[in-house]
Amino acid sequence: MADSAASPATNGSSIDSLKGNAQAAYNQIASGPVAQNVKDQSAKTSAEFSNLANARQTPSEPAATGQPLTHYHSFFSELLSWNNPRASAIAYASVVSLIFVARYLDVIRYTFKLTWMALGVTVLAEVAGKAILGNGLATQLRPRKYYTLPRETLDSLIGDVHELINFFVIESQRILFAENVPASTAAAIGAFLSYYLVKVVPYWGLALIVTTLTFFVPLAYATNQELIDHYVKEASDVVNSQTEQLRQVASKHTSQATEITKQYMGDYTQKAQQMLRGRSASPEATSKPAQSHLKDSDFPQAPKQDIKGTEDSSEEEEEEEEPLIST
């Protein structure tokens, strides 16, 4: 009897000691360096995501047309600048994961499969519950009030979608009209390379390449900014010097061509004036009197009688021809 009475006490003490050891081990692990590092990294990640969310502000600098930009311009600029490396890395990993999911998983097919399985379980649970218990199991799990989407949430969601669409629309126009020449140049080179890569690389591979370049080119520039700026400045100086040299050579040849043209024009003008003066001074150019081929015999002879006698005779004939008026 004493042994049987002592055994429950011994079992209870062993269970308590086991619980105490497990709690001590958990506390040791939770307060250890690994757990503390995990907590610190989680806190830093949360802080970086908060900074990324707070960066969604409308930029103070408008577009070239004077239109205000969207808050997604600041958001993506902050995301791709890697000022918050954990948030940028998680965003890159998420995009790459979505690309691989879309490539290797038939999402639409699995969506239909999950739908019919979920509906089949709820229908069977409802029918079985009513048949056995008199009350359906799905009815017991049904909420008292169905969930509805608040209008404020919907308006906020629509506003974000509208801003996101405008971000892509504005950026495409800024690239098309070369508001930022380096960005337009990079887009043109990317489109040119994609035109040939799409023949040998599948679309998901092309999307993976574009995503990787979009995220890691700014990171490479931010890491080696001084070196890249140095080489870019040297290349710009070489291009400017060559351009200035070409401009000087072109100006020199243009001035020489202008002088030669003026010289030829002066010579041609002088020759033309000499030709005109020579024509006006030559005897062939002077006007000559017109020579008539008529002879004196071609004209009638002049009358030799007196003109007055003929006039008196004509007057007398006119008087004789007038009729006499009798009263």
Side-chain angles (χ1 to χ4, degrees):
M1 296 294 293
D3 294 338
S4 62
S7 61
T10 304
N11 293 332
S13 61
S14 62
I15 293 173
D16 292 339
S17 63
L18 184 60
K19 289 182 178 180
N21 293 333
Q23 185 67 32
Y26 173 77
N27 292 333
Q28 185 178 1
I29 294 173
S31 60
V34 177
Q36 191 64 34
N37 189 17
V38 171
K39 290 180 181 180
D40 294 340
Q41 295 298 326
S42 299
K44 291 180 181 179
T45 303
S46 300
E48 289 186 2
F49 274 108
S50 299
N51 295 334
L52 191 62
N54 294 331
R56 295 173 56 184
Q57 303 292 333
T58 303
S60 58
E61 184 178 356
T65 57
Q67 294 173 286
L69 302 177
T70 64
H71 60 257
Y72 276 103
H73 285 82
S74 301
F75 174 78
F76 284 113
S77 177
E78 185 72 14
L79 178 65
L80 298 177
S81 64
W82 290 82
N83 294 329
N84 304 296
R86 295 171 182 82
S88 299
I90 292 174
Y92 171 74
S94 300
V95 175
V96 171
S97 300
L98 289 176
I99 292 174
F100 279 108
V101 166
R103 169 63 182 86
Y104 292 103
L105 294 179
D106 194 352
V107 179
I108 298 177
R109 183 169 174 268
Y110 282 108
T111 301
F112 286 131
K113 183 178 180 180
L114 181 62
T115 301
W116 76 257
M117 290 177 66
L119 293 177
V121 169
T122 54
V123 170
L124 289 176
E126 182 69 15
V127 173
K130 287 184 178 181
I132 299 173
L133 303 175
N135 194 1
L137 296 178
T139 303
Q140 298 295 326
L141 298 175
R142 184 186 304 154
R144 295 182 179 179
K145 184 179 181 181
Y146 288 119
Y147 176 77
T148 57
L149 188 65
R151 184 179 182 86
E152 293 78 9
T153 304
L154 184 60
D155 292 341
S156 177
L157 181 61
I158 293 175
D160 285 341
V161 173
H162 178 260
E163 290 291 315
L164 183 62
I165 293 174
N166 280 336
F167 165 76
F168 289 107
V169 172
I170 292 174
E171 281 303 306
S172 61
Q173 294 179 88
R174 294 176 71 186
I175 291 173
L176 177 61
F177 295 105
E179 181 176 336
N180 189 353
V181 176
S184 300
T185 304
I189 294 173
F192 175 76
L193 295 177
S194 300
Y195 173 74
Y196 290 99
L197 286 176
V198 77
K199 298 179 181 179
V200 294
V201 179
Y203 289 110
W204 69 271
L206 194 62
L208 185 61
I209 294 172
V210 172
T211 302
T212 303
L213 291 177
T214 303
F215 274 90
F216 285 98
V217 167
L219 178 61
Y221 175 74
T223 307
N224 307 287
Q225 184 175 1
E226 295 182 358
L227 183 63
I228 293 174
D229 289 343
H230 174 69
Y231 284 113
V232 169
K233 186 177 182 301
E234 287 186 353
S236 179
D237 293 339
V238 170
V239 171
N240 291 333
S241 63
Q242 294 295 327
T243 304
E244 183 65 25
Q245 185 177 359
L246 290 175
R247 187 183 295 110
Q248 291 177 359
V249 172
S251 177
K252 181 179 178 181
H253 285 292
T254 303
S255 61
Q256 291 179 356
T258 304
E259 292 296 331
I260 293 173
T261 303
K262 288 182 179 179
Q263 183 178 357
Y264 279 116
M265 290 297 294
D267 294 341
Y268 287 137
T269 303
Q270 185 177 2
K271 289 180 180 180
Q273 291 177 354
Q274 291 177 357
M275 291 175 64
L276 292 174
R277 290 174 183 173
R279 285 184 179 182
S280 61
S282 61
E284 296 177 357
T286 56
S287 60
K288 297 180 180 180
Q291 296 180 356
S292 177
H293 298 283
L294 299 176
K295 298 179 180 180
D296 293 337
S297 60
D298 295 333
F299 295 95
Q301 295 181 357
K304 297 179 180 181
Q305 296 180 358
D306 191 4
I307 298 174
K308 292 182 178 181
T310 57
E311 291 179 355
D312 293 337
S313 61
S314 62
E315 289 179 357
E316 290 178 358
E317 291 177 356
E318 288 179 357
E319 289 179 357
E320 291 177 355
E321 290 176 357
E322 290 182 356
L324 296 176
I325 301 173
S326 61
T327 56

